[in-house]
Amino acid sequence: MTLAYPLDDPRAARPASALSDAFDRHGVRMAYARNEEIYAQDDAVELLYRVVRGVVRTSRVTADGRRQVGAFYYPGDLFGLEPGPDHRFGAEALDDCEILVVRRSAVRAAAGDAELDRAILEAQRLEMERLQDHVVMLGRKSARERVASFLMSIAQRGGDDHADLAMGRQDMADYLGLTIETVSRMLTQLQGEAIVAFPSSRRFEIRKWTALEALAA
Amino acid sequence: MTLAYPLDDPRAARPASALSDAFDRHGVRMAYARNEEIYAQDDAVELLYRVVRGVVRTSRVTADGRRQVGAFYYPGDLFGLEPGPDHRFGAEALDDCEILVVRRSAVRAAAGDAELDRAILEAQRLEMERLQDHVVMLGRKSARERVASFLMSIAQRGGDDHADLAMGRQDMADYLGLTIETVSRMLTQLQGEAIVAFPSSRRFEIRKWTALEALAA
DNA sequence: CGCGCTTTTGAGAAACGTCAAGCTCAGTGG
DNA sequence: CCACTGAGCTTGACGTTTCTCAAAAGCGCG
């Protein structure tokens, strides 16, 4: 990775919040290339990260090479907030990324700041709810439903009806607990039913919201 | 549920810790019968619970009736620590239970107490790590491996080589994202290979630790 | 245009679920 | 003391879903 530029650089946008403030005063802006590792599985948890640009994925690889993707993080998202002494999932840049990084100790030094605490707790809350939903999805949903849920969650983030997938099929598969072929087949199936349309393999549009919602539930 | 007896009852053991102290001063000891609901899915998060006796399971039921068990909690465990405004999983007594209950506000009032905070954070840490492991298991392990992992985790809790299952096959299945038949078949299979032995359907002994560990990894 | 990389498609195999029946065992009442 | 019962567990046969392996098709890029 390379250090992009120091934080007092004017390019660093500064929304007025305690969290942004902590990132601005104590943070460093880093740039990571596509597929570059941000931190490794089993690294010590020392830093707190915020996505500025690009998308980050966390993943865990078992001894025999199976991979489970934990989450995808988008601009504005905090990540690296694992509660234990070391990371159980590694983090990698999905595409070229800029990431703000602060030492946890610096954050702790700024403690007592209620707004900052709230932002971190809120990130932890989101993280835990995401994990809970992920468990239910992996435990009880079919491949078709998993893919539908995934498209739904991406589309909701975008807001509008066209959305871009930041990740390839393999990352989707490893997030959904499926194989790349099954993901592809389910996408083809949903297209065949005119529930979604893929103008290109990374871009889609939802055509039948209610049908997709019913599947994603 | 029924109120068992007030907390100043001499039967209430009192390990000298801030957490126990908070439970003792502000808590109420409740008794729940087998399969009784402790809190419902979508209830507001207001209380903090600690298992005194018995085993508790948390579970989530989807609109169409599929059930995912989130976790099992044993004596000494804290539960009900969900970060959002309401419970995304309900909690039920697996067998006859005694549970200590405190209002979250009472806990918060006792804040500043470092040891208490630590105990709650520790419980949250465990919860999150459990969720992470659960995701990897459901996303990437086979039925055989899931069952092996499950037996392993139960056995580790017990310490010694004989262990009791507090839950029936259906609860195991709903925790592991499998059907009751598949769980049963995997148990039969592991017995056939002399990796475990079941003197009764709720009691087992691990015969080949290394084999089971290899599967559980 | 050719090359690597990703995605899609196909055919067959394996894993897991479904449905139905049989078994075990503790509890119960004759 | 023993048959009866009901709940939970196991087993079997079969169906469906998902995976595996292999090949073809699309797509960006030099």
Side-chain angles (χ1 to χ4, degrees):
Chain A
M1 93 213 136
T2 56
L3 197 145
Y5 39 85
L7 246 235
D8 39 38
D9 187 291
R11 280 168 292 181
R14 299 204 186 182
S17 88
L19 185 62
S20 291
D21 199 48
F23 270 107
D24 288 355
R25 267 184 294 122
H26 305 289
V28 176
R29 184 176 289 230
M30 308 291 281
Y32 295 87
R34 183 173 141 75
N35 286 322
E36 194 175 349
E37 182 174 78
I38 298 170
Y39 54 79
Q41 192 169 319
D42 303 323
D43 272 6
V45 171
E46 292 174 340
L47 305 168
L48 187 61
Y49 303 82
R50 193 170 58 163
V51 181
V52 176
R53 189 176 52 80
V55 181
V56 170
R57 81 170 165 255
T58 56
S59 64
R60 184 171 177 80
V61 180
T62 63
D64 60 347
R66 282 175 282 187
R67 191 176 75 138
Q68 177 65 46
V69 168
F72 299 102
Y73 298 94
Y74 294 84
D77 291 349
L78 259 68
F79 69 98
L81 267 171
E82 285 182 79
D86 37 45
H87 286 292
R88 301 163 65 76
F89 284 70
E92 303 101 37
L94 206 64
D95 49 8
D96 294 349
C97 281
E98 277 174 41
I99 310 288
L100 274 177
V101 184
V102 291
R103 304 218 127 258
R104 292 205 134 200
S105 51
V107 173
R108 212 168 292 122
D113 186 322
E115 195 187 351
L116 176 60
D117 288 351
R118 236 189 310 117
I120 292 179
L121 285 180
E122 170 67 7
Q124 257 177 11
R125 186 181 73 75
L126 285 176
E127 188 63 21
M128 204 145 156
E129 292 189 352
R130 235 191 21 70
L131 279 165
Q132 290 177 331
D133 289 344
H134 208 169
V135 162
V136 173
M137 184 178 78
L138 296 175
R140 287 299 176 219
K141 287 188 186 172
S142 69
R144 186 178 158 83
E145 292 167 330
R146 293 183 205 185
V147 170
S149 304
F150 187 76
L151 293 182
M152 204 68 181
S153 67
I154 299 281
Q156 277 163 351
R157 180 177 294 276
D160 121 32
D161 53 348
H162 269 282
D164 280 304
L165 293 173
M167 71 296 293
R169 299 292 187 263
Q170 187 63 61
D171 284 327
M172 286 177 61
D174 288 347
Y175 178 76
L176 298 173
L178 300 170
T179 60
I180 184 173
E181 294 97 331
T182 299
V183 169
S184 182
R185 275 186 253 270
M186 294 303 123
L187 290 174
T188 305
Q189 197 179 95
L190 292 174
Q191 277 185 92
E193 298 165 37
I195 293 173
V196 297
F198 274 79
S200 83
S201 80
R202 295 286 187 109
R203 188 169 181 74
F204 71 96
E205 178 191 0
I206 298 180
R207 282 281 169 72
K208 296 182 182 168
W209 279 90
T210 51
L212 199 67
E213 262 164 7
L215 277 172
Chain B
M1 91 215 139
T2 57
L3 197 146
Y5 40 85
L7 246 233
D8 39 41
D9 187 291
R11 279 170 290 182
R14 300 205 188 184
S17 87
L19 185 63
S20 292
D21 198 49
F23 270 107
D24 288 355
R25 268 183 294 122
H26 306 289
V28 177
R29 185 174 290 229
M30 310 290 280
Y32 295 87
R34 182 172 141 75
N35 286 324
E36 194 176 350
E37 182 174 79
I38 299 170
Y39 54 79
Q41 192 169 319
D42 302 323
D43 271 6
V45 171
E46 290 174 341
L47 306 167
L48 187 60
Y49 304 82
R50 191 169 58 164
V51 180
V52 175
R53 189 175 53 78
V55 181
V56 171
R57 83 170 163 255
T58 55
S59 63
R60 183 171 179 81
V61 180
T62 63
D64 59 348
R66 282 176 282 187
R67 190 176 75 137
Q68 177 65 47
V69 168
F72 299 103
Y73 297 94
Y74 295 84
D77 291 349
L78 258 68
F79 68 99
L81 265 171
E82 285 183 79
D86 38 44
H87 286 292
R88 302 163 65 76
F89 284 69
E92 305 100 37
L94 208 63
D95 48 9
D96 293 349
C97 282
E98 280 175 39
I99 309 288
L100 276 177
V101 184
V102 291
R103 305 218 126 259
R104 291 205 134 200
S105 51
V107 173
R108 212 168 292 124
D113 186 322
E115 195 186 351
L116 175 61
D117 287 351
R118 236 189 311 116
I120 293 180
L121 285 180
E122 171 68 7
Q124 258 178 10
R125 187 181 73 76
L126 285 176
E127 188 62 21
M128 203 145 157
E129 293 190 351
R130 235 191 21 68
L131 280 165
Q132 289 177 332
D133 289 344
H134 208 169
V135 162
V136 173
M137 184 179 77
L138 296 176
R140 287 301 177 217
K141 287 188 185 171
S142 69
R144 185 177 159 82
E145 293 167 329
R146 293 183 204 185
V147 170
S149 304
F150 188 77
L151 294 181
M152 203 68 183
S153 67
I154 300 280
Q156 278 164 350
R157 180 177 294 275
D160 122 33
D161 53 347
H162 270 282
D164 282 304
L165 294 173
M167 71 296 295
R169 298 292 187 264
Q170 187 64 61
D171 284 327
M172 286 177 60
D174 288 346
Y175 177 76
L176 298 173
L178 300 170
T179 60
I180 183 175
E181 294 97 331
T182 298
V183 169
S184 183
R185 275 185 253 269
M186 295 302 123
L187 290 173
T188 305
Q189 197 180 95
L190 292 173
Q191 277 185 93
E193 299 164 36
I195 293 173
V196 298
F198 275 80
S200 84
S201 81
R202 294 288 188 109
R203 189 170 180 72
F204 70 97
E205 178 192 0
I206 298 179
R207 283 281 170 71
K208 296 181 180 168
W209 279 90
T210 52
L212 199 67
E213 264 164 4
L215 277 173

